Amino acid sequence: MFPVARAAQSLVARGIQHTAVRRAHRKHEPTFHDKYGTMVLLGGAAMFSSVWSYVLTQLKIEWGFSPVGRITPSEWRE
């Protein structure tokens, strides 16, 4: 049984070596992320910033929820 296992291991190792050699001799072709990754990231950041700047400036959102200065106390009834 031991020689069979050793033969199987050598076949697997030889297959891995062949795959590594094939990949090492191939030219590296740029993928989509290599070509456009930075531009897509910057475009997304610009879109995110522009949408949130519109939302925060155009909607009537009241900031500062403190009632100090907005509520006047009523007079005491005696």
Side-chain angles (χ1 to χ4, degrees):
M1 188 71 146
F2 182 73
V4 173
R6 190 169 55 185
Q9 184 182 10
S10 70
L11 282 175
V12 170
R14 207 173 320 145
I16 292 172
Q17 287 173 348
H18 285 300
T19 303
V21 167
R22 271 197 313 258
R23 288 189 180 171
H25 287 98
R26 278 179 42 195
K27 278 188 160 182
H28 174 68
E29 299 171 2
T31 62
F32 176 83
H33 297 289
D34 293 335
K35 289 181 183 177
Y36 308 110
T38 305
M39 293 307 294
V40 169
L41 179 68
L42 293 176
M47 190 68 174
F48 177 86
S49 300
S50 62
V51 166
W52 276 108
S53 64
Y54 173 79
V55 167
L56 295 176
T57 57
Q58 297 300 316
L59 292 180
K60 303 298 181 201
I61 299 174
E62 288 200 21
W63 301 104
F65 301 108
S66 174
V68 175
R70 280 193 240 154
I71 299 175
T72 56
S74 59
E75 295 294 326
W76 284 98
R77 283 188 261 158
E78 290 189 34

